[in-house]
């Protein structure tokens, strides 16, 4: 099964690539859908396309780990994939299950630290660079704040600025 992030990027790219140019709106409401071999419930989104640029008016879903997703922002088609930016909010009851669904290693997270969580940030994507600012992560065991930059346009690099007792245990390179 394809990783969920790849499947969502494929779907978003195809939605933007089809349909008439000009102005259009796509409202999507699904009770449940299988994504990454798990069930995603209450998927609601609105994409607004105008002259080749799309805006995610909103997207919300109930993801594995009883994780609620809310996001909005701008999506643009770039030469090498999608770009844009917006806001992201996740909160759930099982960080370990959510990370497992994303095919990410939970590392040393165990017990209460792998349970309930909340994450919010601003996200910007530009070709081969992802910048996350105003990131805030809350665990049962503490809070963390920071910013990240993932750049694989040349030699891959990660730039991290973090404050908190849990943030560094999440990063495995």
């Amino acid at each position: 099964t394809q990783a969920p992030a790849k499947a969502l990027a494929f779907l978003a790219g195809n939605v933007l690539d089809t349909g008439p140019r000009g102005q259009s709106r796509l409202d999507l409401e699904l009770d449940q859908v299988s994504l990454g071999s798990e069930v995603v419930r209450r998927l609601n989104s609105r994409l607004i396309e105008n002259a080749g640029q799309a805006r995610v008016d909103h997207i919300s879903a109930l993801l594995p780990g009883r994780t609620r997703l809310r996001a909005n922002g701008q999506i643009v088609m770039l030469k090498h994939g999608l770009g844009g930016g917006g806001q992201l909010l996740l909160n759930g009851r099982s960080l370990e299950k959510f990370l497992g669904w994303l095919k990410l290693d939970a590392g040393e997270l165990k017990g209460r630290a792998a349970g309930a969580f909340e994450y919010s940030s601003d996200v910007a994507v530009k070709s081969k660079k992802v910048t996350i600012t105003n990131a805030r992560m809350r665990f049962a065991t503490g809070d963390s704040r920071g910013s990240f930059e993932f750049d694989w346009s040349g030699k891959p690099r990660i730039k991290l600025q973090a404050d908190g007792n849990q943030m560094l245990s999440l990063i495995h390179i």
Side-chain angles (χ1 to χ4, degrees), residues 31-168:
D31 289 330
Q32 66 180 35
V33 61
S34 179
L35 185 60
S37 72
E38 295 271 352
V39 175
V40 172
R41 291 179 169 75
R42 297 190 300 243
L43 176 62
N44 294 300
S45 68
R46 173 175 288 159
L47 293 172
I48 299 171
E49 190 267 339
N50 189 2
Q53 292 204 347
R55 180 170 50 89
V56 179
D57 187 57
H58 69 270
I59 185 168
S60 63
L62 184 57
L63 307 173
R66 291 193 177 181
T67 301
R68 294 189 185 281
L69 161 72
R70 291 199 172 105
N72 61 51
Q74 192 82 12
I75 299 174
V76 293
M77 291 299 296
L78 301 172
K79 188 174 183 179
H80 300 289
L82 297 175
Q87 292 79 41
L88 175 65
L89 173 65
L90 295 164
N91 60 50
R93 292 189 183 170
S94 176
L95 179 59
E96 184 175 31
K97 183 165 179 152
F98 177 66
L99 292 175
W101 174 68
L102 289 175
K103 309 282 191 248
L104 296 174
D105 182 9
E108 301 298 317
L109 289 175
K110 300 283 184 241
R112 290 181 352 128
F117 73 99
E118 182 176 301
Y119 172 85
S120 63
S121 70
D122 297 325
V123 180
V125 178
K126 188 175 183 182
S127 191
K128 295 184 175 186
K129 184 177 184 179
V130 176
T131 304
I132 298 171
T133 55
N134 301 316
R136 183 174 183 180
M137 186 91 176
R138 289 185 173 183
F139 303 89
T141 56
D143 291 1
S144 297
R145 297 173 188 267
S147 61
F148 310 88
E149 185 176 276
F150 306 96
D151 187 347
W152 58 99
S153 58
K155 181 180 177 184
R157 68 184 174 107
I158 296 174
K159 183 178 174 183
L160 165 70
Q161 179 180 349
D163 175 30
N165 61 347
Q166 294 293 324
M167 190 70 73
L168 293 178

Side-chain angles (χ1 to χ4, degrees), residues 3-20:
K6 288 181 182 177
L8 288 172
F10 175 78
L11 175 64
N14 283 331
V15 166
L16 294 176
D17 221 16
T18 60

